[in-house]
Amino acid sequence: MIYSRNRRLRVNESMRGLVRECSLSVNDFVMPIFVMEGENKQEAIASMPGIFRRSIDLTVKECKELFSLGVKAVNLYMKVSDHLKDNTGKEAWNKDGLMQNTIKAIKDAVPEMVIMPDVALDPYSIYGHDGIIENGKIMNDATNEALAKMAVSHAEVGADIVAPSDMMDGRVLAIREALEESGFHDVGILSYAAKYASSFYGPFRSALDSAPKDNMEIPKDKKTYQMDFHNSREALNEVFKDVEEGADIIMIKPGLPYLDIVAKVREAIDLPIAVYNVSGEYAMLKAAAQNGWLDNDKAIIESLTCFKRAGADMIFTYAAKEAAMILNK
């Protein structure tokens, strides 16, 4: 005789919903957005179906639509013109720069949208690296000074949370001190604390032309500052340091191949955890769906729910708009 039957709680959708351990909602999503120079311009990103680079005016229009769907946060990336790139990243804190004008335009049009600009030098670097280079090496402390200027310039035009994705040591503290000294006590820091040197970033780097350049005099990849994907204990080391330095939210990136890291960090800290469903993950799902190998809508919702099950509080995903439409049905 069987007295304990787990299937009793799976008999129909109402019962399954009643005992469900985690749920997915539009409140969980942050939409990454690519911005380009110009007016009324939109360019498709071939490796990321449904994702575009847009000029500021069309970006504002997209943000209005996202907010109407319930997606209340955006993560901003700039496609910077080559003539503005150098080895200092100074365009990153230009008061009239593309990022700064984008933040102002979105905040004016959708005041309640949470704006999280990316803080990293690679879109502004002639070398495609996240740091200033001297004698063939990424200079950690000099880069931190540049990142702090960048973060303050974002706060000055209305950013709610700055999101350093560079992985320099000590940059959260440098940014926190700069924000405090400038009077931006309420601007948060979402730190990419455990960001791995991953092969899943390819489509993103194509979208921004931000991959390391093929130059024998500089590092050929980002492995001296992004984490080794073989490691997990190291992630906790990175997370604890960023928490001590003043981070408000902790990011794990990439997402799906690193759910073990999300779960491990969730057990270790009480701060909100973000996870990045990166471009390569998105591109793989889309390619499979377009070939009829997966059900697009079901695969999107299942994969995003996995992040919540692992312990994430918010999900950066290129599928945010599409997932919101599915959930709103």
Side-chain angles (χ1 to χ4, degrees):
M1 186 74 69
I2 301 175
Y3 290 99
S4 178
R5 295 180 183 270
N6 291 339
R7 291 181 58 190
R8 292 182 188 126
L9 302 183
R10 302 178 193 147
V11 293
N12 56 42
E13 180 54 31
S14 295
M15 183 65 75
R16 291 191 294 273
L18 192 64
V19 299
R20 191 158 285 151
E21 296 174 26
C22 71
S23 60
L24 187 70
S25 108
V26 293
N27 293 318
D28 301 322
F29 302 147
V30 180
M31 180 70 181
I33 289 181
F34 300 114
V35 185
M36 61 185 292
E37 297 281 2
E39 187 174 349
N40 195 33
K41 287 187 175 181
Q42 177 172 287
E43 295 177 354
I45 300 169
S47 56
M48 300 172 69
I51 304 300
F52 301 87
R53 287 182 290 264
R54 297 183 176 92
S55 53
I56 293 178
D57 54 330
L58 296 186
T59 296
V60 169
K61 182 179 178 181
E62 178 72 2
C63 287
K64 289 179 178 179
E65 185 173 354
L66 286 166
F67 199 82
S68 72
L69 290 168
V71 179
K72 301 181 179 69
V74 291
N75 176 220
L76 302 179
Y77 298 91
M78 302 297 113
K79 175 68 170 68
V80 180
S81 300
D82 286 344
H83 74 277
L84 297 174
K85 298 180 181 183
D86 63 13
N87 188 35
T88 70
K90 64 180 182 296
E91 178 62 21
W93 55 89
N94 178 359
K95 293 182 182 297
D96 194 35
L98 182 60
M99 176 69 88
Q100 289 73 13
N101 288 332
T102 300
I103 295 171
K104 285 188 287 187
I106 296 173
K107 190 57 76 172
D108 286 345
V110 196
E112 294 184 27
M113 179 69 83
V114 176
I115 302 177
M116 303 182 184
D118 181 59
V119 177
L121 297 185
D122 50 333
Y124 303 89
S125 169
I126 53 174
Y127 299 118
H129 271 286
D130 294 57
I132 296 168
I133 295 179
E134 291 182 15
N135 299 319
K137 293 184 178 180
I138 310 296
M139 305 304 293
N140 191 92
D141 297 5
T143 298
N144 284 347
E145 293 178 12
L147 296 172
K149 293 178 184 177
M150 187 178 182
V152 170
S153 78
H154 294 171
E156 288 173 342
V157 291
D160 300 285
I161 296 174
V162 294
S165 63
D166 56 287
M167 288 296 288
M168 297 298 120
D169 292 333
R171 90 276 205 219
V172 172
L173 180 60
I175 291 171
R176 186 73 267 163
E177 289 179 343
L179 290 171
E180 293 297 319
E181 290 169 4
S182 300
F184 296 111
H185 312 298
D186 295 329
V187 174
I189 299 176
L190 183 150
S191 171
Y192 288 60
K195 180 179 179 180
Y196 285 82
S198 172
S199 59
F200 288 91
Y201 302 148
F204 173 93
R205 291 176 180 171
S206 297
L208 291 184
D209 186 27
S210 62
K213 300 299 182 283
D214 187 9
N215 185 323
M216 294 294 292
E217 298 178 359
I218 64 171
K220 64 180 180 179
D221 52 40
K222 302 189 177 187
K223 293 181 179 180
T224 66
Y225 45 100
Q226 294 180 357
M227 284 182 56
D228 184 342
F229 67 81
H230 300 84
N231 299 347
S232 65
R233 293 193 304 273
E234 184 185 9
L236 292 178
N237 186 315
E238 292 280 1
V239 166
F240 291 150
K241 286 180 178 177
D242 285 2
V243 171
E244 290 173 3
E245 291 178 12
D248 300 284
I249 303 170
I250 292 299
M251 169 73 86
I252 288 89
K253 182 179 181 181
L256 289 174
Y258 295 83
L259 292 178
D260 61 317
I261 306 301
V262 178
K264 183 171 288 191
V265 173
R266 176 74 291 159
E267 292 177 358
I269 68 169
D270 294 324
L271 287 183
I273 294 175
V275 63
Y276 207 129
N277 179 212
V278 301
S279 59
E281 299 167 38
Y282 175 85
M284 289 192 300
L285 188 153
K286 283 297 181 183
Q290 287 177 349
N291 278 284
W293 301 331
L294 291 176
D295 181 301
N296 180 78
D297 292 5
K298 291 180 179 178
I300 286 174
I301 298 303
E302 181 179 345
S303 62
L304 296 180
T305 302
C306 288
F307 297 128
K308 295 297 299 291
R309 190 184 66 235
D313 299 288
M314 66 191 74
I315 306 164
F316 285 53
T317 176
Y318 301 98
K321 184 178 181 180
E322 192 173 3
M325 291 178 176
I326 296 169
L327 292 174
N328 287 339
K329 290 177 183 179

